[in-house]
Amino acid sequence: MSRKKGPRSGGPGARRSFSPGQKLDLLTRYEQAVEAGEGGAFLRREGLYSSLMSEWRRARDAGLLQGKPAAETVGRPSAEQAEIARLRRELQLAQAKLTRTETALTIMGKARELLEDISRSEPDGPDVFGLGKR
């Protein structure tokens, strides 16, 4: 009788735990990998799940991972911490939207100026067909 080889052939492994510093490091490296389009490969290589990254991101945004000693456990954010994290994310989104809007308004203003310059440079003549100046 031959034994199967696979990830669980020796039985379940010990559950891993991570210090707050390790969580921050892995989360930073994961976010860099995502920007490079390699997020899934990073998770497979490290043996992690995307849901774990989401949980750690929420904890980081709520301020639960900063300044913790290596051996201290990190619990769930309180209602107040979760609200602060939500408001920070909302503020980030609003600032990004404001930046896009300001850029769009600048572009529209420049387009308007260009069209006015073009219309000023055209000779004045009768509009016989009602189609506008050509």
Side-chain angles (χ1 to χ4, degrees), residues 32-91:
Q32 290 170 349
V34 167
E35 287 179 12
E38 300 291 326
F42 175 82
L43 293 175
R44 286 188 297 277
R45 186 173 53 248
E46 297 293 330
L48 300 170
Y49 294 98
S50 61
S51 60
L52 194 56
M53 294 294 111
S54 298
E55 182 181 324
W56 290 355
R57 190 178 300 115
R58 276 193 297 274
R60 179 197 60 197
D61 293 346
L64 295 177
L65 297 180
Q66 282 79 15
K68 298 282 184 177
E72 188 175 336
T73 59
V74 177
R76 293 187 130 329
S78 68
E80 183 178 290
Q81 290 169 328
E83 178 69 8
I84 290 170
R86 185 189 67 77
L87 290 172
R88 283 183 181 154
R89 283 190 305 274
E90 192 176 301
L91 177 62

Side-chain angles (χ1 to χ4, degrees), residues 108-122:
M108 289 172 57
K110 289 179 180 181
R112 181 178 168 267
E113 288 175 15
L114 178 64
L115 290 173
E116 285 178 356
D117 287 346
I118 291 171
S119 68
R120 274 189 240 124
S121 66
E122 287 189 10

Side-chain angles (χ1 to χ4, degrees), residues 1-13:
M1 179 168 159
S2 68
R3 291 196 145 234
K4 286 186 174 180
K5 292 188 178 186
R8 295 210 174 225
S9 61

